[in-house]
């Protein structure tokens, strides 16, 4: 633990350099001392001088395969990225949590009232209260703290800034009050609970799990209470490719209903076939009952269910391709995943505003340049936001130039994937 001045001095003296390198990669690691120093200054301005400062980080995530499969107990392939939300934190004895996030109003949560507050729905305060409530429900310790946070996880980008924030709060509780005894898997579950019950978003568990566990992971949610997690040892950074996420600048307002309709329609189909989720439905049984399902729920629900069945199997094929070192086969599966999402899942544009189809345009442009040489797909929840692209380094300048001309400066982001999950950042000499 540090005083404000001691933490700044340690950062500027390079004492965190060896810790930053595996978390951020060489290029971004060099920027972190200044970034963290500014966060200390932000804490000082918000809360004053302390003698017990600690530092935490939780990453954004990228979905590699398994588009909208987790909420129906399917398989996903995901990875943490070198964009994160960080926090400078001081435990307090006030039984109150105060979090000042850069650019946002202060959130203040009293821990003697952890009931759901309807007025907090869709606000960060709901996430804080929900994570605290879940820790308490599980018989774990909670307590007050003050925190200043700042994030470079692109909001609305499909990189799951909300999941990173939830995991960050859980990681803080874990280390401040539970001696780091809570597993990354459990923290992810608590984060999802907060998002579902307190924040009001019916998300699956993939986002939180990828952020909390970190690395490149395949997750099987057949039993969502006990997901099977496999680390995938594949060095994306050794390829002559860059992973580029293109932010098309779409408007996410009023899209909660569009996102919620996907799991709802899939579960309606599953229920009609005698199950509570599509993972428990035999694909052949689904095919046999399409006439009944069309009449009862419409064609879109059927198409989305067919996407689930194919995508759930496709994740296994992606994992096998990566383990075999067959990146060419992997890229073909990425393209197939994207096309299934576009044509059958139908989450590339919303019918609420058919004039806005930035994702469709970005996918079209990517295909025109990368066909036969790279891969492209919709990224994350869809409807607005980002595409994911695997771009040969020889085409990177052309690709980023084209996307920048169409979608504006800072629309194309090159990511490194596979960093550690939610962690306390400490000077390497202290480990």
């Amino acid at each position: 633990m540090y005083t404000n001045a001691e933490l700044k001095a340690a950062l500027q003296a390079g004492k965190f350099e060896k810790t930053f390198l595996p978390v951020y990669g060489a290029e971004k690691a060099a920027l972190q001392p200044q970034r963290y120093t500014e966060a200390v200054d932000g804490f000082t301005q918000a809360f004053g001088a302390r003698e017990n400062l600690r530092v935490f980080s939780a990453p954004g995530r990228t979905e590699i395969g398994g588009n909208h499969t987790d909420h129906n107990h399917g398989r996903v392939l995901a990875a943490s990225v070198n964009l994160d939300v960080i926090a400078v934190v001081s435990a307090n004895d006030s039984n109150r949590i105060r979090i000042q996030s850069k650019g946002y109003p202060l959130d203040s949560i009293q821990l003697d009232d952890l009931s759901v507050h309807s007025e907090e729905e869709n606000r960060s305060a709901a996430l804080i209260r929900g994570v605290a409530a879940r820790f308490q429900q599980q018989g774990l310790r909670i307590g007050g703290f003050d925190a200043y946070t700042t994030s470079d996880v692109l909001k609305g980008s499909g990189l799951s800034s909300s999941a990173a924030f939830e995991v960050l709060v859980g990681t803080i509780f874990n280390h401040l009050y539970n001696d780091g005894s809570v597993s990354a898997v459990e923290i992810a579950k608590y984060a999802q609970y907060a998002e579902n019950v307190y924040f009001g978003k019916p998300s699956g568990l993939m986002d939180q799990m990828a952020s909390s566990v970190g690395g490149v992971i395949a997750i099987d949610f057949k039993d969502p209470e006990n997901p099977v997690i496999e680390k995938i040892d594949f060095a994306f950074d050794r390829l002559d490719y860059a992973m580029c996420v293109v932010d098309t600048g779409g408007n996410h307002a009023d899209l909660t209903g569009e996102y919620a309709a996907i799991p709802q329609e899939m579960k309606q189909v599953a229920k009609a076939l005698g199950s509570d989720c599509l993972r428990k439905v035999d694909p052949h049984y689904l095919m046999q009952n399409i006439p009944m399902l069309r009449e009862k729920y419409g064609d879109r629900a059927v198409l989305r269910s067919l996407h689930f069945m194919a995508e759930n199997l496709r994740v296994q094929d992606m994992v096998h391709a990566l383990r075999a070192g067959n990146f060419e086969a992997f890229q073909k599966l990425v393209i197939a995943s994207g096309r299934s999402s576009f044509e059958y899942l139908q989450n590339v544009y919303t019918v609420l505003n058919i004039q806005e189809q930035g994702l469709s345009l970005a996918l079209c442009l990517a295909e025109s340049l990368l066909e036969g040489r790279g891969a492209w797909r919709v990224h994350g929840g869809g409807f607005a936001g980002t595409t994911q692209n695997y771009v040969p380094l020889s085409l990177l300048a052309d690709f980023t130039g084209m996307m920048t001309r169409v979608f504006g400066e800072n629309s194309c982001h090159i990511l490194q994937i596979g960093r550690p999950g939610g962690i306390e950042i400490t000077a390497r000499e202290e480990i």
Side-chain angles (χ1 to χ4, degrees), residues 23 56-64 70 76-86 151-153 158-172 175 183-189 191-192 195 204-219 221 229 231 417-424:
V23 173
F56 297 87
S57 160
R61 70 96 183 100
T62 184
E63 170 202 283
I64 298 172
D70 57 335
V76 300
L77 182 62
S80 53
V81 300
N82 61 340
L83 302 176
D84 64 348
V85 53
I86 64 172
S151 176
D152 61 5
V153 183
L159 297 173
S160 295
S161 56
S162 61
F165 182 80
E166 299 153 15
V167 168
L168 180 74
V169 173
T171 303
I172 292 169
H175 288 275
S183 73
V185 170
E186 290 304 308
I187 289 174
K189 291 179 183 178
Q192 184 206 21
E195 186 157 314
L205 186 54
M206 177 187 68
D207 296 351
Q208 293 83 0
M209 197 69 74
S211 176
S212 188
V213 174
V216 181
I217 54 174
I219 316 171
F221 291 111
I229 303 169
K231 291 272 190 177
I417 65 176
R419 60 149 277 178
I423 55 172
E424 180 172 8

Side-chain angles (χ1 to χ4, degrees), residues 150-370:
T150 182
S151 176
D152 61 5
V153 183
L154 311 169
K155 193 172 180 62
S157 65
L159 297 173
S160 295
S161 56
S162 61
F165 182 80
E166 299 153 15
V167 168
L168 180 74
V169 173
T171 303
I172 292 169
F173 277 132
N174 188 25
H175 288 275
L176 257 56
Y177 292 106
N178 295 278
D179 299 319
S181 62
V182 186
S183 73
V185 170
E186 290 304 308
I187 289 174
K189 291 179 183 178
Y190 304 165
Q192 184 206 21
Y193 172 85
E195 186 157 314
N196 290 173
V197 177
Y198 283 70
F199 190 76
K201 182 179 178 181
S203 68
L205 186 54
M206 177 187 68
D207 296 351
Q208 293 83 0
M209 197 69 74
S211 176
S212 188
V213 174
V216 181
I217 54 174
I219 316 171
D220 190 335
F221 291 111
K222 186 175 184 179
D223 177 1
E225 290 302 312
N226 299 285
V228 177
I229 303 169
E230 299 178 73
K231 291 272 190 177
I232 308 301
D233 185 18
F234 186 84
F236 281 93
D237 58 345
R238 296 179 186 173
L239 299 170
D240 291 329
Y241 284 80
M243 178 192 277
C244 296
V245 169
V246 176
D247 185 354
T248 64
N251 183 4
H252 285 254
D254 300 322
L255 290 179
T256 298
E258 291 274 39
Y259 295 125
I262 294 176
Q264 178 183 358
E265 291 178 9
M266 289 183 180
K267 288 177 180 179
Q268 284 175 337
V269 168
K271 186 177 180 180
L273 298 176
S275 298
D276 61 349
C277 67
L278 283 177
R279 181 62 181 274
K280 298 177 183 178
V281 174
D282 185 292
H284 299 292
Y285 188 49
L286 171 62
M287 294 292 288
Q288 291 168 1
N289 283 278
I290 286 178
M292 176 271 291
L293 295 169
R294 290 186 66 202
E295 183 176 352
K296 196 167 185 179
Y297 296 115
D299 292 334
R300 189 175 73 170
V302 174
L303 287 165
R304 285 175 163 173
S305 300
L306 291 171
H307 162 83
F308 173 92
M309 295 300 181
E311 186 79 348
N312 193 47
L313 295 176
R314 192 176 291 117
V315 170
Q316 284 186 308
D317 294 337
M318 286 181 164
V319 170
H320 293 155
L322 291 178
R323 285 185 170 153
N326 191 342
F327 191 63
E328 183 177 349
F330 168 78
Q331 288 191 101
K332 291 179 180 178
L333 292 164
V334 169
I335 295 170
S337 171
R339 286 180 174 157
S340 180
S341 295
F342 203 154
E343 297 172 13
Y344 309 132
L345 182 64
Q346 299 179 36
N347 71 329
V348 171
Y349 63 90
T350 171
V351 295
L352 298 176
N353 181 9
I354 60 173
Q355 299 302 315
E356 182 181 292
Q357 296 194 32
L359 289 177
S360 306
L361 180 57
L363 293 168
C364 176
L365 295 173
E367 182 175 7
S368 71
L369 184 63
L370 300 179

Side-chain angles (χ1 to χ4, degrees), residues 92 94-99 106-115 117 119-120 123-133 142-146 165 169 173 198:
N92 64 47
S94 70
N95 204 39
R96 179 179 291 274
I97 296 172
R98 296 187 300 174
I99 297 182
L106 176 75
D107 286 310
S108 182
I109 303 298
Q110 190 69 35
L111 292 176
D112 57 10
D113 177 13
L114 295 180
S115 61
H117 287 216
E119 73 276 8
E120 291 178 350
R123 292 174 48 202
S124 55
L127 300 176
I128 302 165
R129 196 182 301 274
V131 173
I142 58 174
F145 63 83
D146 295 322
F165 182 80
V169 173
F173 277 132
Y198 283 70

